[in-house]
Amino acid sequence: MKRMLRTYGWELLLVVLIVLAGIWSSFLSPYFLDPVNLFSSAGFFVIFALMAFGLFPIILQGEIDISLASTLAVGSVLLGKLSQLGFPLAVALPIVLIICGILGAVNGLLVAVVGLPSLAVTLGTMGAYRGIAYLFAGDAGVTTIPPAYVSLGSSWIGIVPMTVVLAIAVGIVFAVLTTSTRFGRNSYAIGNSASASRLAGVSVAATRVAAYALAGVASGLAGYVWLAQYQSARGDNADGSILFVITAVVLGGVSIKGGSGRALGVALAILLLGTIQTGMKLANIPGTSQTLVIGALLVGSIGIPRIVQIVRGRIAAPRPAPKIDVDVRREEATQESKRTA
Amino acid sequence: MSNPTAVTRRRLSLGGSTSALRVRFLGVVIFLAILVIAFSLLSPQFFTLGNGRSVLFTAAILAIAAAGQSLVVLTGNLDLSVGSIMGLTAYVVFDLAGKNAALQPFVVILALAIGALLGFINGVFVTVLQIPSIVATLGTLSIYRGFVSVYANAKEVTSGTLPPWMRALATQVWLGLPSYVWISAVIIAIVAVALTRLPWGRKIYAYGSNPKAARFYGLSSTRIVIGAYVGAGMIAAIAGLLLGAQVGNINSLLANGIELQVLAAVVIGGVSIWGGSGSVIGAAIGAVVLATINNGLVLLEVQEFYRLLIQGAAIIAAVWVDAIVQRRVIGSGTRRRIMEVES
């Protein structure tokens, strides 16, 4: 029991917060706990969940990808165009997923093979992929979508929207990938120390490229959900949503430095953010004010344990500051990236 | 063994004795020159005095924000909250000056104080609480923006509350150039001198190029990083104030999402994202590059696609050059290799 508490402490904390947020939301509005409301609100967060699951292995490896929302836009616009050209969904969707996977792999190659810093690379491709989306979409975007393409957005299993089922399925796939495959084990190893992993015979570059390609595919899938939910696709789809996605992954307990975190945590973080946002929306709190709570949650989730640690350290016998460890690690990481460069 | 490394690298970036580092700065200038020549050939309206002014005017505020951002990037950290600091400062200052006319002469000092406070909070999160800078400033990006939104309560404020001289600034032309360009140049010059001449700036380079060596050298990482964030916050606050005065009526969304543009300017300007090398003048030129791309492509009436594509390609090209430079600098300094083995 104690071991389980220690291992899944973060996830338990998230569950407690979700319950608290749920209680608070149901005080704000009596309609919150209505199952139909709950599940239809959940549908709104599927797009973010898919991108967050895709981003998860990348952050696990100690890298970042801020181009995913642009990849989503390429996916949704391309799928919309293919639908207008008369392709059946069963042909168009795989094409789109492969292209989005290639876009992700390009990021991966620039990061892992050329050795460029991932933040800067994906800052560049964020613009470039957004440009590609605009190129396909034109000024008007795609608006008339055949019913076969959008049926996902309006089909339900009981009271659960199909898109939520899809998100859960993708979450399970990423959970299995990271816990039970060589790719997953290598991802944790690379996140802890890329140079040690290389010496141990792990193909660091291939694992990184795979993670980026997977994230591209997940974003393409999110593009499909976007098209099905909103029945239109434009070049500016999901613009600016990447910061929310990163917040979800980090809040899910995935260390931004890499090496630790679980898919379950990411899923719970999305659920928590979704609960808070839905509750605040019901209470008529505007979207930009909601960010105050989300930002505080993000900083607090990492900062408060640290404050507790500092206060404890002050009370207990003075020990050498633990700062140095972190700095040494940071230094190692810098040198590592410089060496791969 | 670690100290010589920091000193060597410091000298490299100071005197530019290694050609590789000079190449990077030259690279940005050459890229800008190519852009200007290409646009001049393609569009007759581009290479005119009026258009040059308009490019510099658009670049001015971005260049100020980029100067602040480079302080933080030089320490090996990031400040994603720059847009929120700009928006918060402008809104709060306008609002306070509107409610209390006695505050009007002190708007700039007020803005600097708010910027310093917000930057200090960022710095404390990154150093004392040891939250990775990308996460900490992603958090404060949301917190500061959320705060303005709550504070503003969906209202607007107008620059009419500002003292008249401040309002007039946005449209004034001094010695043939918009006043904002001069203000921007002065701020960048101050930051550049502070970085290269003052101990405060030298410590930022020393810490950024090798945090561990800086620690052994007796430098306080906490103080250096907080100092960089406070400086960045104050500069962002000024940028926000100027942007607000230019826009006129502002709501809680002023400068929303500008952080990635600012970061792009810094990266294109050759400031290493790994910290420790690059110059604030380079970052300012990076802002001019972005403004030139936007302006030229608008004149050519090309699609959004090309603008985003060229911008993206410029960022990747810049970090690619940076990576090659880093490799050459590290390759030439065997001392660094020795240090790596020892650590």
Side-chain angles (χ1 to χ4, degrees), chain A residues 131 288-289 323 327 330 335 341, chain B residues 130 149 211 215 305 327 339:
Chain A
T288 41
S289 304
K323 274 181 198 165
D327 264 12
R330 179 179 173 277
Q335 291 195 348
Chain B
Q130 288 175 18
S149 173
R215 179 183 295 279
F305 160 68
R327 202 180 306 158
M339 203 203 76

Side-chain angles (χ1 to χ4, degrees), chain B residues 172-187:
Chain B
Q172 266 171 9
V173 175
W174 301 340
L175 301 175
L177 282 176
S179 62
Y180 275 27
V181 176
W182 291 110
I183 296 172
S184 176
V186 168
I187 292 174

Side-chain angles (χ1 to χ4, degrees), chain B residues 327 330-343:
Chain B
R327 202 180 306 158
I330 294 169
S332 64
T334 41
R335 279 176 185 166
R336 192 174 184 95
R337 287 225 181 110
I338 294 166
M339 203 203 76
E340 274 177 25
V341 172
E342 281 185 354
S343 65

Side-chain angles (χ1 to χ4, degrees), chain A residues 59 62-64 246 250 254-258 260, chain B residues 131-135:
Chain A
I59 295 190
E63 300 290 346
I64 190 103
I246 297 173
V250 174
V254 184
S255 164
I256 198 92
K257 290 174 179 166
S260 72
Chain B
I131 305 173
S133 67
I134 184 169
V135 177

Side-chain angles (χ1 to χ4, degrees), chain B residues 191-229:
Chain B
V191 178
V193 169
L195 270 178
T196 47
R197 297 280 173 262
L198 294 185
W200 174 81
R202 301 314 313 160
K203 282 178 190 167
I204 286 181
Y205 275 108
Y207 175 76
S209 53
N210 195 334
K212 203 165 73 176
R215 179 183 295 279
F216 284 131
Y217 201 69
L219 299 176
S220 156
S221 59
T222 310
R223 239 180 261 165
I224 293 167
V225 174
I226 291 182
Y229 271 105

Side-chain angles (χ1 to χ4, degrees), chain A residues 204-216:
Chain A
V204 175
T207 314
R208 286 213 162 121
V209 175
Y212 275 96
L214 266 176

Side-chain angles (χ1 to χ4, degrees), chain B residues 129-152:
Chain B
L129 300 187
Q130 288 175 18
I131 305 173
S133 67
I134 184 169
V135 177
T137 57
L138 189 61
T140 53
L141 174 146
S142 300
I143 294 172
Y144 299 162
R145 184 64 67 187
F147 175 82
V148 209
S149 173
V150 173
Y151 182 91

